[in-house]
């Protein structure tokens, strides 16, 4: 940025030759120098123009986005006095260095106090600050208190500050900065005007880095600047620090040396080659495990950490999915460059959304494994191998369509064809007396169940869900005749189950029922019989065979109350896909 001026370290004496890092040397000196925060600057300009300046501000954002720098610029604006200005009003446009600007920028102005809450967290420090609030400024228009990392203050310190923060003297302004806005009490937030400083977009940051490289007379390739911008993750300070390190890689004192290329940046910070990462994803999607592992090892051997490779794969998978779901315009809405956008649109034509979401899930699991595995490279390879082999598997909807097609041609589920295999016959034989008609009436609205299954259906019809679940899960039938039922109970059955069943049957049928509990014996529970029937069905077996490691986690009844033990139950099995 050509408008930036060197810091005071370069201004005089023996410090003239002292080196200053880029993040300090090119620190913005006015609001025009700030990048990526146009909304905040516009709001402040309107406030200053309308003379509606708040008494307290809080700036929040990730590290390196300019919170402290903005606080100092705001302090300068509040106290700006040019050479020909009487200094009666604040001014946000500062075309030249004012009377107080240099001292404020160097943190040595007597009326602009900076406090690091990370090292001064106690209530005593705040009381000292409050004591100074009472006195008028020595030189400037306002006394400005800048508290960095304000969330580090103790609860007592926050409480001590509240009253002064709500009603400060007219000559006092507060500016807070924090990276953890959620840790700041609501009582403090409600007394401040809040500005959220967003991460700087990679393309904006890359352009900013390019201008600074030109000022330093250093040539950096565009793809190298793009790499630095991505690695900075929206932090200007991090980007400048990486650029500083890249310039050191430049030939010292040789301004005619070749430009700093992407390869130099990649080797320096261990990034993955973006082009190769695209090839890596394409190979994994095609199921080419040999090529996938080769490309991964090339990246790892070149210095890229496995976590970085997987994060880049997640990044481009997300980009391709956006394009697949919302069209080519979705690529330009993100941080993708022209090359990434073109490859994303090309790959989106070849891959279905279901496959992309599956790749995302596998990469997320792999990233977690690389962070805890003793050998991160091995964990990364395992994640990529899973993706390669998953490429040959059908998606769940494709598998179900294929199975339905087989069943329609006579190969699929016996349930759909009306036939039951030999494995399902014993289950049916044990339940040949299962009712297939409505409960019989004994007069009025009362009914008379003729089997234990009818008893369960009656309980369901009366909407006693708890009792019905207990009868299906915990009761093994020993014998049944109208008015008398002998049952055996599993270990999980409640002690009062038999008594509650007898009372409900008397209430619903008008007759006395004797429920006796046998210590042992009895048939399988209704739930066990139902589970066995579903698991033996050819359709379920085919689905489990298609997805190794999957398991059935629940059985849902689709049409009304199922007929326990009947082979014609219309049941829907929930199948949970395993890690295989």
């Amino acid at each position: 940025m050509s408008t930036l001026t060197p810091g005071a370290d370069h201004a005089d004496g023996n410090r003239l030759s002292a080196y200053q890092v880029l993040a300090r040397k090119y620190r913005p000196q006015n609001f025009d120098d700030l990048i990526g925060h146009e909304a905040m600057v516009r709001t402040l300009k309107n406030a200053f123009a309308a003379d509606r300046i708040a008494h307290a501000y809080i700036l929040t954002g990730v590290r390196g986005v300019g919170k402290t720098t903005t606080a100092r610029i705001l302090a300068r604006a509040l106290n700006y006095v040019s050479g020909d200005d009487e200094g009666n009003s604040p001014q946000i446009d500062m075309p030249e260095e004012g009377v107080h600007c240099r001292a404020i920028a160097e943190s040595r102005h007597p009326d602009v106090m900076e406090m690091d809450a990370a090292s001064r967290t106690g209530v005593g420090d705040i009381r000292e600050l409050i004591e100074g609030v009472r006195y008028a400024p020595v030189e400037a228009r306002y006394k400005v208190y800048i508290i960095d990392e304000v969330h580090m203050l103790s609860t007592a310190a926050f409480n001590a500050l509240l009253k002064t923060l709500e009603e400060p003297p007219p000559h006092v302004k507060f500016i807070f900065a924090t990276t953890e806005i959620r840790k700041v009490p609501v009582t403090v937030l409600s007394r401040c005007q809040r500005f959220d400083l967003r991460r700087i977009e990679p393309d904006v940051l890359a352009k900013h880095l390019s201008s600074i490289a030109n000022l330093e007379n250093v040539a950096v390739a565009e793809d190298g600047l793009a790499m630095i911008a991505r690695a900075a993750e929206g932090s200007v300070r991090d980007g400048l620090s990486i650029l500083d390190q890249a310039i050191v890689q430049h030939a010292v004192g040789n301004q005619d040396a070749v430009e700093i290329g992407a390869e130099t940046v990649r080797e320096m910070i261990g990034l993955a080659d973006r082009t190769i990462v695209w090839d890596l994803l394409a190979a994994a999607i095609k199921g080419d495990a040999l090529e996938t592992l080769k490309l991964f090892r090339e990246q790892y051997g070149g210095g890229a950490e496995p976590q970085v490779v997987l994060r880049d794969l997640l990044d481009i998978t997300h980009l391709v999915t956006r394009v697949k779901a919302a069209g080519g315009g979705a690529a330009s809405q993100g941080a993708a460059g022209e090359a990434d956008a073109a490859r994303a649109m090309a790959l989106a034509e070849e891959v279905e959304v279901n496959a992309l979401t599956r790749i995302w899930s596998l990469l997320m699991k792999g990233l977690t494994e690389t962070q805890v595995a003793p050998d991160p490279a091995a964990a990364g390879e395992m994640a990529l191998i899973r993706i390669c082999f998953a490429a040959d598997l059908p998606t769940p909807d494709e598998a179900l369509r294929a199975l339905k097609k087989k069943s329609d041609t006579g190969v699929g589920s016996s349930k759909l064809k009306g036939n039951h295999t030999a494995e399902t016959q014993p289950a049916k034989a044990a339940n040949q007396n299962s009712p297939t008609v409505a409960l019989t009436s004994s007069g009025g609205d009362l009914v008379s169940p003729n089997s234990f299954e009818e008893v369960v259906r009656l309980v369901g019809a009366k909407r006693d869900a708890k009792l019905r679940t207990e009868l299906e899960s915990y009761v093994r039938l020993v014998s049944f005749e109208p008015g008398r039922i002998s049952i055996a109970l599993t270990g999980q059955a409640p002690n009062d189950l038999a008594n509650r069943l007898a009372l409900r049957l008397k209430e619903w049928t008008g007759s006395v029922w004797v429920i006796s509990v046998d210590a042992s014996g009895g048939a399988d529970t209704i739930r066990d019989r139902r589970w066995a029937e579903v698991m033996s069905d050819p359709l379920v077996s085919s689905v489990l065979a298609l997805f190794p490691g999957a398991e059935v986690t629940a059985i849902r009844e689709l049409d009304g109350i199922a007929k326990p033990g009947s082979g014609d139950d219309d049941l829907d099995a929930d199948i949970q896909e395993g890690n295989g």
Side-chain angles (χ1 to χ4, degrees):
M1 296 179 298
S2 58
T3 58
L4 296 179
T5 57
D9 290 352
H10 297 270
D12 61 82
N14 295 330
R15 295 189 299 173
L16 182 61
S17 61
Y19 175 70
Q20 199 173 33
V21 296
L22 297 181
R24 292 184 58 196
K25 184 176 179 181
Y26 294 101
R27 175 172 285 172
Q29 300 299 307
N30 54 57
F31 286 108
D32 293 332
D33 292 339
L34 287 176
I35 62 170
H37 305 312
E38 290 78 11
M40 179 194 68
V41 174
R42 183 169 57 253
T43 302
L44 288 174
K45 282 186 176 182
N46 293 339
F48 273 61
D51 195 22
R52 302 177 65 89
I53 303 173
H55 65 271
Y57 298 91
I58 187 164
L59 310 172
T60 179
V62 299
R63 82 251 175 252
V65 294
K67 298 182 297 297
T68 306
T69 296
T70 301
R72 289 175 181 166
I73 296 175
L74 185 54
R76 286 182 57 202
L78 290 168
N79 290 315
Y80 184 75
V81 179
S82 62
D84 56 355
D85 188 0
E86 296 181 359
N88 292 325
S89 62
Q91 184 175 338
I92 202 166
D93 293 319
M94 298 174 282
E96 60 183 24
E97 187 175 277
V99 175
H100 307 291
C101 291
R102 178 61 62 90
I104 293 175
E106 296 174 359
S107 303
R108 54 181 176 83
H109 196 285
D111 294 323
V112 179
M113 279 69 71
E114 292 191 29
M115 172 180 165
D116 180 17
S119 57
R120 303 181 65 185
T121 62
V123 66
D125 299 308
I126 295 299
R127 284 174 180 162
E128 180 182 338
L129 180 151
I130 294 172
E131 286 295 320
V133 165
R134 297 184 298 173
Y135 303 103
V138 178
E139 300 177 2
R141 184 181 298 113
Y142 293 106
K143 294 188 79 168
V144 181
Y145 291 89
I146 299 174
I147 303 181
D148 200 9
E149 299 300 340
V150 68
H151 67 275
M152 300 288 285
L153 290 178
S154 65
T155 302
F158 274 124
N159 292 336
L161 183 62
L162 285 179
K163 188 61 178 177
T164 303
L165 183 61
E166 184 173 17
E167 299 177 359
H171 60 266
V172 173
K173 301 292 183 183
F174 290 97
I175 307 175
F176 303 139
T178 178
T179 54
E180 299 284 350
I181 192 67
R182 294 183 180 179
K183 294 183 180 179
V184 179
V186 177
T187 49
V188 172
L189 292 176
S190 65
R191 291 166 167 83
C192 301
Q193 193 170 105
R194 171 176 168 177
F195 290 105
D196 290 87
L197 276 64
R198 299 178 179 272
R199 296 177 186 268
I200 309 303
E201 293 295 331
D203 56 340
V204 176
L205 182 54
K207 186 181 297 183
H208 176 62
L209 296 175
S210 176
S211 65
I212 290 181
N214 291 334
L215 292 174
E216 291 291 310
N217 296 319
V218 175
V220 184
E222 287 188 8
D223 49 355
L225 290 172
M227 280 188 177
I228 295 175
R230 285 199 302 270
E233 297 181 343
S235 169
V236 181
R237 185 173 61 231
D238 288 2
L240 289 172
S241 298
I242 298 172
L243 178 61
D244 227 339
Q245 186 178 353
I247 292 175
V248 176
Q249 307 293 323
H250 200 54
V252 178
N254 182 7
Q255 299 301 328
D256 296 327
V258 296
E259 67 179 6
I260 301 173
E263 191 63 32
T264 301
V265 176
R266 186 181 306 113
E267 291 177 356
M268 180 184 70
I269 57 181
L271 287 178
D273 187 330
R274 190 76 164 187
T275 302
I276 298 180
V277 172
W278 277 102
D279 296 337
L280 178 60
L281 179 62
I285 290 175
K286 293 176 182 177
D288 189 344
L290 181 60
E291 181 67 13
T292 300
L293 295 178
K294 174 187 173 184
L295 293 173
F296 177 78
R297 278 295 167 179
E298 285 181 3
Q299 295 288 282
Y300 183 67
E305 294 294 330
Q307 296 94 324
V308 175
V309 177
L310 293 188
R311 277 198 295 267
D312 276 358
L313 285 170
L314 280 167
D315 185 25
I316 62 178
T317 300
H318 170 245
L319 176 61
V320 175
T321 308
R322 279 169 56 94
V323 172
K324 186 69 177 180
S332 59
Q333 294 174 3
E338 292 183 5
D340 282 352
R343 296 204 65 165
M345 288 186 282
L347 191 57
E349 295 291 333
E350 304 174 4
V351 190
E352 295 298 326
V353 172
N354 286 338
L356 290 169
T357 55
R358 181 166 58 190
I359 291 170
W360 174 272
S361 300
L362 293 173
L363 285 172
M364 285 295 296
K365 180 178 176 59
L367 180 60
T368 303
E369 291 175 351
T370 59
Q371 293 169 345
V372 299
D375 186 351
E381 287 187 342
M382 290 299 295
L384 294 172
I385 290 171
R386 283 198 293 265
I387 294 174
C388 290
F389 280 87
D392 295 331
L393 292 176
T395 59
D397 58 333
E398 291 172 344
L400 291 175
R401 282 198 298 267
L403 289 170
K404 189 176 187 303
K405 184 177 180 180
K406 286 184 178 181
S407 66
D408 290 341
T409 58
V411 183
S413 170
S414 61
K415 181 180 297 184
L416 295 174
K417 300 299 293 181
N419 284 322
H420 287 270
T421 59
E423 289 80 359
T424 62
Q425 294 303 319
K428 282 183 63 78
N431 295 281
Q432 288 178 351
N433 295 325
S434 296
T436 57
V437 295
L439 299 177
T440 58
S441 173
S442 61
D445 294 331
L446 301 179
V447 293
S448 178
N450 292 318
S451 68
F452 183 69
E453 286 74 13
E454 281 197 359
V455 171
V456 175
R457 292 175 58 205
L458 174 62
V459 174
K462 295 297 184 179
R463 300 190 181 279
D464 192 337
K466 181 175 183 291
L467 180 58
R468 179 188 174 185
T469 301
E470 291 171 347
L471 293 177
E472 291 178 342
S473 305
Y474 306 141
V475 173
R476 297 195 299 267
L477 180 65
V478 176
S479 64
F480 179 93
E481 59 183 82
R484 182 179 298 274
I485 307 175
S486 179
I487 59 175
L489 301 177
T490 65
Q492 296 82 13
N495 295 329
D496 64 341
L497 176 57
N499 290 335
R500 283 192 289 118
L501 178 59
L503 289 174
R504 293 294 183 270
L505 288 175
K506 180 179 180 182
E507 174 186 347
W508 294 332
T509 66
S511 304
V512 175
W513 285 71
V514 177
I515 311 297
S516 60
V517 179
D518 198 333
S520 60
D524 291 338
T525 65
I526 291 176
R527 175 168 294 181
D528 289 343
R529 296 202 305 269
R530 186 182 304 167
W531 193 275
E533 182 180 352
V534 170
M535 293 301 295
S536 64
D537 189 276
L539 177 62
V540 177
S541 301
S542 300
V543 172
L544 292 176
L546 278 173
F547 297 96
E551 59 181 8
V552 179
T553 60
I555 298 173
R556 295 200 305 268
E557 299 170 3
L558 294 182
D559 296 331
I561 301 171
K563 305 173 183 62
S566 171
D568 295 326
D569 293 352
D570 191 3
L571 299 176
D572 179 27
D574 286 345
I575 300 179
Q576 177 174 308
E577 188 172 346
N579 297 330

